Amino acid sequence: MKHTLLAIIYNQSLEEKFREMILNWIKAIERNVSWLISTITTTTLIIARTSYSSMIILGVILWASGIQRYFGRKLIIGGSIIALISEILLK
């Protein structure tokens, strides 16, 4: 009787340690996935800001100088759309 009681206590302890280890792994994976998503979002926002800023600046230069008014206007409109979408969706 004494040996079976010790075996049950030992098995419960081993099972609890196993569950704790699995939960720690899951928490570590969750932290890493959260960090990865945050990093991807930040990087995407930086790339989008660079893109739409360049498009709008180039569009204004082309439109104001009269070299390519139509293309400049399209760049301004496209850059503005990208700015709107990226700032609303990625914030």
Side-chain angles (χ1 to χ4, degrees):
M1 178 79 174
K2 198 174 196 179
H3 293 292
T4 57
L5 184 58
L6 286 174
I8 291 171
I9 292 171
Y10 179 73
N11 285 338
Q12 285 177 343
S13 170
L14 187 62
E15 183 179 348
E16 287 173 8
K17 287 180 183 178
F18 177 74
R19 286 182 181 177
E20 185 179 330
M21 186 173 61
I22 295 298
L23 284 175
N24 287 338
W25 285 351
I26 291 172
K27 287 178 185 176
I29 290 170
E30 182 181 350
R31 280 193 313 268
N32 287 329
V33 168
S34 177
W35 170 80
L36 183 64
I37 289 172
S38 173
T39 303
I40 289 172
T41 303
T42 304
T43 305
T44 304
L45 191 56
I46 290 169
I47 292 170
R49 284 179 177 160
T50 305
S51 297
Y52 73 70
S53 297
S54 301
M55 288 174 68
I56 291 173
I57 290 169
L58 184 61
V60 167
I61 291 170
L62 288 174
W63 178 80
S65 67
I67 297 172
Q68 286 283 331
R69 284 192 176 270
Y70 179 76
F71 186 63
R73 187 177 57 157
K74 291 293 184 183
L75 281 175
I76 294 170
I77 292 170
S80 300
I81 291 171
I82 292 173
L84 225 129
I85 291 172
S86 65
E87 293 298 330
I88 289 173
L89 291 181
L90 294 175
K91 282 278 177 164

